[in-house]
Amino acid sequence: MLNEEQNEQELFEHFRFDVDPGQKLIRIDKFLFGKIENISRNRIQNAAKAGNILVNGKAVKSSYKVKPADVISIVMSQPPREYEVIPQDIPINIIYEDEDIIVVNKEAGMVVHPGYNNYEGTLVNALRYHIDQQYPNHGPEIEANLVHRIDKNTSGILLVAKNELAQAKLGKQFFDHSIERKYIALVWGDFQEDKGRIEGHIGRSLKDRLQMTVFPDGEYGKHAVTHYKVIERLGYVSVVECQLETGRTHQIRAHMRYIGHPLFNDATYGGDKILKGTTFTKYKQFVQNCFKLLPRQALHAKSLGFIHPTTGEKMFFDSDLPQDMQSVIEKWRDYAAHREV
């Protein structure tokens, strides 16, 4: 039996096999090569080197002989791209780089990777140019390999692997939920509690394919957990810190709308309307001015912690809020300080 999971936000694939009782002894790399479509032996080898092939819960080498009734689990990095990436000289903010990884502080408005009708101007195009400048005439062993992504209009820290082995090891950390990720969001409304936990399956909306929806009964979608803490109460809006336990597409945006606190100016999830406050014309104008200052959802990927795929060192990167979010939060602070809200 094969259970396959493809995570849309954390770019890995997970396969699980319950080996038949009549299975003959065979090397596990050969077994997997015959079971998984469109896979190369190199991807299987890198998964084994990264400790991502488990048999009955224990990591094995690619030479392991599969036995009847074994339970096999394999986590692999994102499949190779089926299109050519055009190198483009686009400014990006690289805050750390070594032989294995690149850490970028992405600006809002930049798409992370090429896709349908969007093959240029992305972060991956910029990284490809950057790597070409560093390593002229390099081969496919050095590349910008994504292990996760953030939305186009979300700013903040993004981790990139420069080779397949590093990508495989980092992908396993995302799969194990051992990556530490914190986001800062400005959301509509005040909270009764100071912190909380949101749990609810997230899947693509059955009514609007551009939205993700929470399915609390788990009948659809994938398991998702977000922890949040209120950082600052500003009357009609609040600044919250969100920590991801899982990494589903639009997770924070969908979870926050689910509990009645859509992200400020999140057009996809209804946050681009005046959801809290007064009916005064001056207040409406104030909110509209805030929307103009921050023409996107108020979400920033502030920090990222992980284990370096080669050295085993604990790495942690933090970033300041971008100017657009800082400016709008300051305006709400001033509004809350001078008015009864």
Side-chain angles (χ1 to χ4, degrees):
M1 184 178 69
L2 166 63
N3 295 320
E4 177 183 350
E5 177 181 353
Q6 288 185 296
N7 196 313
E8 297 181 25
Q9 199 75 355
E10 300 163 343
L11 300 172
F12 58 74
E13 295 178 306
H14 174 226
F15 298 87
R16 181 180 181 273
F17 301 90
D18 295 321
V19 180
D20 293 335
Q23 174 69 48
K24 296 180 181 179
L25 293 180
I26 183 175
R27 279 177 59 111
I28 197 166
D29 54 356
K30 188 173 182 181
F31 174 87
L32 293 170
F33 186 73
K35 289 285 186 180
I36 303 173
E37 294 183 0
N38 302 319
I39 191 173
S40 67
R41 289 188 181 275
N42 191 53
R43 285 184 71 205
I44 296 174
Q45 297 284 344
N46 279 323
K49 289 177 184 176
N52 293 8
I53 300 179
L54 304 181
V55 176
N56 306 323
K58 294 183 179 180
V60 299
K61 296 181 179 180
S62 56
S63 59
Y64 172 84
K65 297 292 180 64
V66 175
K67 300 176 181 61
D70 275 346
V71 177
I72 300 172
S73 173
I74 176 171
V75 176
M76 291 184 300
S77 51
Q78 175 191 27
R81 288 185 293 265
E82 297 179 354
Y83 48 84
E84 181 182 0
V85 176
I86 303 167
Q88 292 182 291
D89 186 7
I90 303 169
I92 49 176
N93 182 13
I94 294 176
I95 58 178
Y96 177 83
E97 182 175 10
D98 60 27
E99 292 298 309
D100 298 292
I101 63 172
I102 300 174
V103 181
V104 179
N105 188 5
K106 185 187 84 70
E107 292 186 0
M110 175 176 268
V111 175
V112 169
H113 62 93
Y116 180 70
N117 279 343
N118 189 38
Y119 295 104
E120 299 184 15
T122 74
L123 178 64
V124 169
N125 294 111
L127 286 169
R128 177 63 186 272
Y129 178 87
H130 172 75
I131 288 174
D132 287 352
Q133 298 303 303
Q134 278 191 314
Y135 307 95
N137 305 314
H138 70 86
E141 69 280 356
I142 303 176
E143 192 54 89
N145 300 297
L146 297 175
V147 289
H148 68 130
R149 58 192 177 198
I150 55 180
D151 298 334
K152 172 185 176 181
N153 288 321
T154 298
S155 56
I157 293 182
L158 192 77
L159 175 61
V160 180
K162 292 171 72 173
N163 56 71
E164 280 194 13
L165 182 57
Q167 185 188 27
K169 289 184 176 181
L170 292 169
K172 184 64 161 54
Q173 292 182 50
F174 278 98
F175 177 73
D176 291 338
H177 307 314
S178 60
I179 298 285
E180 298 176 22
R181 289 170 291 173
K182 290 184 180 178
Y183 289 69
I184 297 295
L186 180 68
V187 304
W188 281 105
D190 196 4
F191 292 76
Q192 290 184 343
E193 64 287 329
D194 291 329
K195 59 183 178 180
R197 181 178 188 270
I198 311 168
E199 182 172 5
H201 278 49
I202 291 179
R204 200 159 294 280
S205 170
L206 304 178
K207 299 178 181 178
D208 183 350
R209 302 300 292 171
L210 297 179
Q211 288 188 16
M212 305 302 286
T213 297
V214 177
F215 297 86
D217 296 330
E219 74 277 17
Y220 185 67
K222 294 175 182 175
H223 176 68
V225 178
T226 303
H227 301 269
Y228 68 88
K229 179 171 64 175
V230 179
I231 301 298
E232 192 170 2
R233 300 174 187 273
L234 299 172
Y236 302 131
V237 296
S238 301
V239 181
V240 296
E241 176 188 274
C242 296
Q243 187 162 357
L244 294 183
E245 188 172 310
T246 55
R248 308 306 181 193
T249 300
H250 294 184
Q251 178 169 320
I252 293 172
R253 300 166 67 188
H255 265 170
M256 280 296 163
R257 181 182 68 170
Y258 173 63
I259 65 169
H261 297 283
L263 268 62
F264 188 78
N265 209 13
D266 188 344
T268 302
Y269 293 95
D272 60 338
K273 302 176 181 62
I274 299 175
L275 301 180
K276 301 289 181 180
T278 73
T279 58
F280 298 141
T281 302
K282 285 187 178 181
Y283 173 74
K284 292 180 179 179
Q285 187 59 56
F286 166 78
V287 175
Q288 291 298 330
N289 289 340
C290 288
F291 286 161
K292 289 178 182 178
L293 270 178
L294 183 72
R296 64 178 181 101
Q297 68 260 13
L299 185 62
H300 176 68
K302 191 172 192 312
S303 65
L304 187 70
F306 56 94
I307 302 298
H308 192 281
T310 301
T311 66
E313 178 187 357
K314 179 65 186 279
M315 311 287 286
F316 181 81
F317 297 93
D318 191 72
S319 61
D320 293 331
L321 282 181
Q323 189 58 52
D324 57 358
M325 278 188 68
Q326 286 191 41
S327 297
V328 167
I329 290 172
E330 284 293 340
K331 284 181 72 69
W332 276 105
R333 280 187 190 130
D334 183 67
Y335 185 92
H338 293 90
R339 293 166 180 82
E340 183 177 345
V341 295

